[in-house]
Amino acid sequence: MSEKMPLNEGISGKEKFDRTNARETVENLVSDFAEHYKVIGYEEVSEVNVSSGVDPSVRFIGSHISVFKPEIVEQRISNPGEYMKQECIRTKNVREIFNDNYYPSWGSSFISLGAISTYDRLDEVNKEVIDFFLNKLGLKFDDIRIRISSVDQDI
């Protein structure tokens, strides 16, 4: 018979997420993220309106990468990098978005946190990300999974 987790403990061994404190938890996470990258010397990029049109390939901003895309394409990322917080909307129901008689079955609104740097800083960027997860968020190294795909064709 397996041991049960205490009711106040999540799968990472940390305190379980409490929805009543969700706003404060997210605000603290955003603040920690910004502080981490600001100290390293990254430049903060201002967020844009979710319907800004800054990325013509999407109707709404669904990730911070849409805001970074022009800088990536034009290869004008500041050194050592840039970071941002971006309000996002994703929907699988975009064809019906203006149909008042349609009730979406899926969609989400969330805050995306992102940082970007140049390829020649890849080793430093990995260390910076790991440092954030370990020292700011208090995660265990064995609980961290980072996937990078060389077949990503979105940009």
Side-chain angles (χ1 to χ4, degrees):
M1 186 172 181
S2 64
E3 283 186 44
K4 289 190 175 182
M5 243 187 302
L7 292 177
N8 64 343
E9 189 175 300
I11 59 171
S12 66
K14 295 197 158 290
E15 188 174 327
K16 202 171 200 173
F17 181 77
D18 179 5
R19 287 179 180 260
T20 60
N21 298 326
R23 182 176 303 278
E24 182 182 344
T25 300
V26 170
E27 287 171 358
N28 288 338
L29 178 61
V30 169
S31 177
D32 287 348
F33 180 83
E35 178 186 332
H36 177 75
Y37 283 98
K38 187 179 288 187
V39 166
I40 296 170
Y42 280 51
E43 183 180 316
E44 182 174 11
V45 174
S46 298
E47 72 179 295
V48 299
N49 190 320
V50 294
S51 61
S52 69
V54 69
D55 180 356
S57 69
V58 295
R59 187 174 303 247
F60 298 109
I61 300 296
S63 170
H64 59 274
I65 199 69
S66 290
V67 181
F68 287 144
K69 197 180 281 189
E71 295 179 36
I72 295 168
V73 171
E74 296 169 18
Q75 297 183 349
R76 56 179 172 91
I77 300 164
S78 63
N79 190 19
E82 301 170 356
Y83 71 93
M84 75 175 308
K85 164 196 161 250
Q86 176 63 50
E87 296 275 346
C88 296
I89 293 178
R90 287 193 186 157
T91 177
K92 295 277 190 185
N93 306 293
V94 75
R95 287 183 196 96
E96 301 290 339
I97 198 143
F98 297 113
N99 179 351
D100 291 337
N101 298 316
Y102 179 77
Y103 295 98
S105 58
W106 187 88
S108 60
S109 171
F110 58 96
I111 294 173
S112 178
L113 300 175
I116 191 166
S117 187
T118 55
Y119 182 78
D120 62 321
R121 292 194 68 253
L122 185 60
D123 289 338
E124 291 93 346
V125 168
N126 284 323
K127 290 174 187 169
E128 293 160 1
V129 170
I130 296 295
D131 182 56
F132 176 70
F133 288 145
L134 295 176
N135 298 317
K136 285 284 187 185
L137 300 184
L139 298 176
K140 296 176 195 164
F141 186 80
D142 289 341
D143 290 337
I144 299 172
R145 300 285 182 267
I146 298 175
R147 290 181 37 208
I148 302 171
S149 174
S150 63
V151 296
D152 190 348
Q153 298 296 314
D154 290 350
I155 298 178

